[in-house]
Amino acid sequence: MISNYFKQGLFGRDLLGSIVVFLVALPLCMGIAIASGMPPAAGLITGIVGGIIVGAVAGSPLQVSGPAAGLAVLVFELVREHGVVALGPVVLLAGLIQIAAGLCRVGVWFRMCSPAVVAGMLSGIGVLIVASQLHVLMDALPKARGLENFAALPGAVIDAVQGEAGSLSALGVGVVTIAIMLGWEKLRPATLRFVPGALLAVVALTATVQFAGLGVKTVDVPSNLMAAVSMPTVGSLSSLLEPSLLIAALTFAFIASAETLLSAAAVDRMHDGVRTRYDRELTAQGIGNTICGLFGALPMTGVIVRSAANVQAGSATRMATIMHGSWLLVFAMLLPWLMRMTPVACLAGILVYTGIKMVNFKQVKALAQYGKGTAWIYVATTVAIVATDLLAGVLIGFALSLFRLALHSSRLKVGLHHHDEPGTASLRLEGSATFLRVPSVARTLESVPPNTRLQLQVDRLHHVDQACLELLREWSRNASARGCELIVDWQQLDLRVEGVRRAA
């Protein structure tokens, strides 16, 4: 098998792919760590674990795992409220939950998320990342909430220009970083398509800052990567009994799993090779997050940007992912002094660019093809996340999706037809009569003229729930007061009630 791997030229493809992914992953690992309120080394450790360990056991052969912008907001909130010491135990528990979910073969159920909610979640996260990293772009500290960051932005720009806080030089570095990435995306030659714009920006601006001697913040990476490891203590693990941390762990596990498996499905559409084994991929992610929790590093997910780069570079097997993790390890262990030259504003610029790409409003038109309600769920989820927080926004999106599903599942045509014979009419119900349709049925019944003999036709009624059934019975009981009468086969109507039908 090993000889065939080399004979078929797979090693060369994986080697090139691993280098491309490494070049994309290196600045993102550090930048996402900074956006999460953690030292850059925490992101590098997660990238290394995601590459070497998760890559070796993953169920998706070409998906790349590592720190994700989608979890940066959650980590930032957790660290702000509970301190760095809480991160390791929460990520550890989230990993164990993922392992249990994978072993119980529920991986496919995580794909049950509404695409509109997931798209809205990613857009909301993108907005929050932009809001916070625009402050880091000026070497200033971001606020705790998205709306606070936007509100404080004009003042931060004024402070940077006046030199009171932040740095005008850092702002220039960040803006040029974004400009380089935009320009490279538009003007990149086909022969250099595998070279990431983020790498060009980091190299160019790191060299500029060093030669010009600009006074901007640079990345703080320890000489020994193991010095950044912060293993959970018995005391910190016992803090998991707090309800807020248990909810945080469940939130991490759910969002990381959903993002991973949706990313894996997207990666499968990019190539014609081996398909993803979702339960195995979920278990592998759990193993990776458990290890990251033990190291006190960032949580990981399958990440679409690095995975797409892996596929586009021509990688053939999971060895490309494993080798990219090895390059991260070698670089972090042998060349930390080189990473310490990287301007923080440059990494912030990369994340601002990434966040803007996550906010893809073109999706509104695409989602609207499946109904305007789907597009509005996307918009509502995005706005709710920005206005409140990630968990509340996602829950609002799920609630709206379920409400829309309930509306669609209770489609009911209500037709009132007056006969030629005076004082007679028929009421036809077609579809499902649920509590959501009580108002329309009630309005129709109220419009029945006095002294009318009303025939209820239920031959095309598929289902009736208790609310509608009680409405009909109540109207029948009170009909005589208006000289009316309801003619209905109650036995046939009762058969359309789920509980009665099952009992029968």
Side-chain angles (χ1 to χ4, degrees):
M1 184 179 294
I2 296 177
S3 60
N4 288 336
Y5 176 72
F6 287 97
K7 286 180 180 178
Q8 295 174 10
L10 301 181
F11 174 74
R13 292 171 58 185
D14 287 341
L15 178 63
L16 175 61
S18 71
I19 294 173
V20 171
V21 177
F22 159 70
L23 295 176
V24 174
L26 181 62
L28 284 175
C29 286
M30 295 189 293
I32 290 169
I34 294 172
S36 304
M38 294 290 291
L44 291 170
I45 292 172
T46 300
I48 292 166
V49 172
I52 298 175
I53 297 177
V54 175
V57 296
S60 178
L62 296 182
Q63 178 162 254
V64 179
S65 300
L71 292 178
V73 177
L74 282 175
V75 175
F76 183 83
E77 285 290 322
L78 178 69
V79 171
R80 183 181 64 85
E81 293 181 10
H82 300 280
V84 175
V85 69
L87 180 61
V90 167
V91 175
L92 173 62
L93 179 56
L96 294 175
I97 293 171
Q98 287 181 300
I99 292 174
L103 293 177
C104 292
R105 305 180 66 82
V106 298
V108 70
W109 290 95
F110 280 93
R111 300 183 66 204
M112 194 174 62
C113 304
S114 166
V117 175
V118 175
M121 179 187 76
L122 294 177
S123 291
I125 290 169
V127 173
L128 293 177
I129 287 173
V130 171
S132 64
Q133 293 307 295
L134 284 174
H135 289 267
V136 180
L137 200 72
M138 297 175 282
D139 281 352
L141 294 175
K143 305 296 181 182
R145 303 283 181 181
L147 294 179
E148 293 176 6
N149 277 316
F150 281 119
L153 191 58
V157 174
I158 293 172
D159 289 343
V161 172
Q162 294 177 347
E164 297 178 6
S167 168
L168 190 59
S169 298
L171 178 60
V173 168
V175 171
V176 173
T177 298
I178 298 171
I180 289 175
M181 295 182 71
L182 281 171
W184 186 246
E185 181 179 341
K186 301 293 184 183
L187 306 174
R188 172 172 46 190
T191 54
L192 298 177
R193 67 183 186 280
F194 59 87
V195 178
L199 175 68
L200 290 180
V202 168
V203 171
L205 288 162
T206 298
T208 301
V209 167
Q210 292 300 314
F211 283 117
L214 299 178
V216 299
K217 292 181 181 179
T218 55
V219 173
D220 182 18
V221 179
S223 300
N224 182 4
L225 193 62
M226 293 306 294
V229 173
S230 177
M231 300 190 70
T233 62
V234 175
S236 63
L237 289 173
S238 63
S239 66
L240 287 174
L241 297 176
E242 296 181 24
S244 59
L245 293 185
L246 283 174
I247 292 174
L250 287 168
T251 305
F252 273 51
F254 180 80
I255 292 179
S257 300
E259 188 171 344
T260 292
L261 298 181
L262 288 169
S263 172
V267 172
D268 279 351
R269 291 194 291 269
M270 296 178 187
H271 68 92
D272 299 323
V274 179
R275 304 290 92 182
T276 295
R277 296 162 60 186
Y278 290 99
D279 293 316
R280 177 169 175 168
E281 179 66 22
L282 184 55
T283 303
Q285 293 291 323
I287 293 171
N289 274 321
T290 301
I291 295 172
C292 287
L294 290 173
F295 287 163
L298 296 182
M300 74 171 63
T301 74
V303 279
I304 190 62
V305 173
R306 277 155 273 182
S307 301
N310 195 33
V311 175
Q312 292 164 4
S315 299
T317 71
R318 62 169 55 95
M319 276 303 300
T321 301
I322 297 172
M323 285 191 285
H324 118 272
S326 303
W327 299 135
L328 285 174
L329 177 62
V330 170
F331 203 86
M333 297 295 288
L334 300 182
L335 298 171
W337 55 270
L338 186 58
M339 288 188 287
R340 284 196 288 271
M341 296 181 183
T342 307
V344 171
C346 184
L347 298 180
I350 293 172
L351 284 177
V352 168
Y353 179 84
T354 302
I356 292 172
K357 296 281 283 186
M358 291 172 70
V359 185
N360 183 6
F361 286 118
K362 293 180 180 178
Q363 292 178 102
V364 174
K365 185 176 180 180
L367 290 169
Q369 295 177 356
Y370 302 94
K372 292 183 179 180
T374 303
W376 279 113
I377 289 171
Y378 163 80
V379 173
T381 304
T382 301
V383 172
I385 287 173
V386 175
T388 56
D389 56 53
L390 184 58
L391 178 59
V394 170
L395 290 177
I396 289 172
F398 273 118
L400 291 173
S401 295
L402 292 175
F403 181 70
R404 182 172 181 269
L405 176 62
L407 286 175
H408 278 276
S409 63
S410 62
R411 287 180 175 174
L412 180 70
K413 289 184 178 180
V414 183
L416 179 63
H417 305 283
H418 295 279
H419 298 171
D420 294 336
E421 182 182 349
T424 61
S426 62
L427 176 65
R428 177 177 289 278
L429 300 180
E430 298 183 26
S432 297
T434 69
F435 66 96
L436 294 172
R437 300 304 176 186
V438 165
S440 62
V441 177
R443 283 194 297 268
T444 303
L445 290 172
E446 289 169 2
S447 69
V448 175
N451 305 313
T452 299
R453 193 169 183 266
L454 183 65
Q455 174 74 43
L456 181 62
Q457 299 178 353
V458 297
D459 54 307
R460 296 186 181 180
L461 181 65
H462 306 309
H463 169 70
V464 61
D465 72 356
Q466 182 183 3
C468 275
L469 192 60
E470 290 297 331
L471 173 67
L472 293 169
R473 284 174 175 164
E474 182 182 359
W475 194 88
S476 178
R477 286 194 300 268
N478 299 328
S480 59
R482 302 174 62 236
C484 295
E485 181 185 4
L486 180 63
I487 308 299
V488 58
D489 187 340
W490 292 105
Q491 185 177 3
Q492 287 295 320
L493 190 60
D494 285 340
L495 289 176
R496 285 161 173 77
V497 180
E498 183 179 2
V500 174
R501 187 166 62 244
R502 186 167 54 241

